[in-house]
Amino acid sequence: MIKNSFISFQEKKEENRGSIEFQVFSFTNKIRRLTSHLELHRKDYSSQRGLRKILGKRQRLLAYLSKKNRVRYKELINQLDIRESKNR
């Protein structure tokens, strides 16, 4: 299911891989993959560090997008099924 949505998103954005939406989407896929990996390997501290770094990058990109274009931010949040934090 995630792979199919990635393919459709990738076809739509293939010419613009540097866009914020594509970067957030690829970070989200990496986060989901690392999360499932860490459920099996709880003491893999290198992967935990990598996950925290990717989470920070995605958070900074989403903060930038929410400041620049709130409509695109809301669409991306809904498309990726990422919950918006309550303090924003």
Side-chain angles (χ1 to χ4, degrees):
M1 184 169 109
I2 293 171
K3 197 173 211 177
N4 291 338
S5 66
F6 176 73
I7 291 170
S8 65
F9 189 80
Q10 186 177 11
E11 289 172 356
K12 187 168 75 170
K13 293 286 184 181
E14 187 170 310
E15 68 277 355
N16 195 5
R17 292 182 183 209
S19 70
I20 294 173
E21 289 91 350
F22 187 83
Q23 289 180 34
V24 170
F25 189 77
S26 63
F27 284 149
T28 302
N29 284 336
K30 287 180 184 179
I31 288 167
R32 289 180 178 150
R33 200 170 56 236
L34 277 173
T35 302
S36 65
H37 169 77
L38 287 171
E39 287 174 355
L40 295 174
H41 309 282
R42 295 186 189 275
K43 293 191 175 186
D44 188 355
Y45 299 115
S46 299
S47 293
Q48 287 178 10
R49 181 174 185 262
L51 177 63
R52 285 192 299 270
K53 287 176 71 93
I54 293 171
L55 283 168
K57 287 180 184 180
R58 185 180 75 174
Q59 183 179 10
R60 286 191 300 274
L61 280 173
L62 286 172
Y64 172 79
L65 186 61
S66 71
K67 287 179 189 175
K68 292 294 180 182
N69 193 339
R70 193 72 176 175
V71 175
R72 282 173 51 195
Y73 171 76
K74 290 284 189 185
E75 289 175 359
L76 186 63
I77 293 293
N78 290 334
Q79 180 183 4
L80 296 178
D81 197 28
I82 300 174
R83 181 172 51 120
E84 184 176 1
S85 64
K86 300 194 184 214
N87 59 3
R88 289 187 185 187

